[in-house]
Amino acid sequence: MMKTRFWIAQEVAETKMKHDARMLFVQAKKLMGKQPKTIITDGLPSYAVASQQIFQGTKHIQQIQLRGVVHNNKMERMNGEIRDREKTMRGLKTNETPI
């Protein structure tokens, strides 16, 4: 199993369910300069749409479990740390929000 992960791109979304992840994936693909072999995300529907359109032919794993072999626990932990810090700052409003 791979032991490393890279935070390639980020985006602040106004709402979770109406978020369009295509620009996030375009930014990630541009920064990497190549097509990934596998992308692992949570079950957010916009990730499935963006993955099909931007990373055509890439294996997209969405059905993940906390205790499974394939998971995104490290990313969820990072999200939790950011959320804990952001809560005391009264929210992330833009990408330029200092944190």
Side-chain angles (χ1 to χ4, degrees):
M1 182 192 326
M2 297 209 29
K3 301 223 182 239
T4 58
R5 305 288 192 280
F6 298 96
W7 188 338
I8 300 165
Q10 68 178 9
E11 189 171 67
V12 176
E14 288 190 32
T15 64
K16 184 177 181 177
M17 296 314 287
K18 293 180 183 178
H19 178 64
D20 182 352
R22 287 178 297 180
M23 290 309 297
L24 176 67
F25 285 11
V26 166
Q27 180 186 11
K29 187 174 181 179
K30 182 179 176 182
L31 288 169
M32 289 302 297
K34 61 182 178 179
Q35 186 86 359
K37 293 178 184 174
T38 304
I39 183 169
I40 301 170
T41 67
D42 61 19
L44 190 66
S46 64
Y47 291 151
V49 172
S51 178
Q52 288 174 353
Q53 292 178 359
I54 308 303
F55 297 127
Q56 298 160 344
T58 294
K59 182 179 181 181
H60 181 202
I61 300 172
Q62 259 186 304
Q63 274 48 44
I64 56 175
Q65 299 174 349
L66 257 122
R67 297 183 189 273
V69 174
V70 177
H71 55 77
N72 69 344
N73 296 354
K74 289 180 183 181
M75 191 67 240
E76 292 299 339
R77 177 67 186 134
M78 174 69 85
N79 288 342
E81 288 183 21
I82 291 170
R83 177 69 179 130
D84 289 346
R85 177 69 176 118
E86 171 260 330
K87 252 174 133 174
T88 62
M89 298 176 73
R90 300 203 179 177
L92 294 171
K93 303 298 182 207
T94 68
N95 280 330
E96 290 77 34
T97 299
I99 185 169

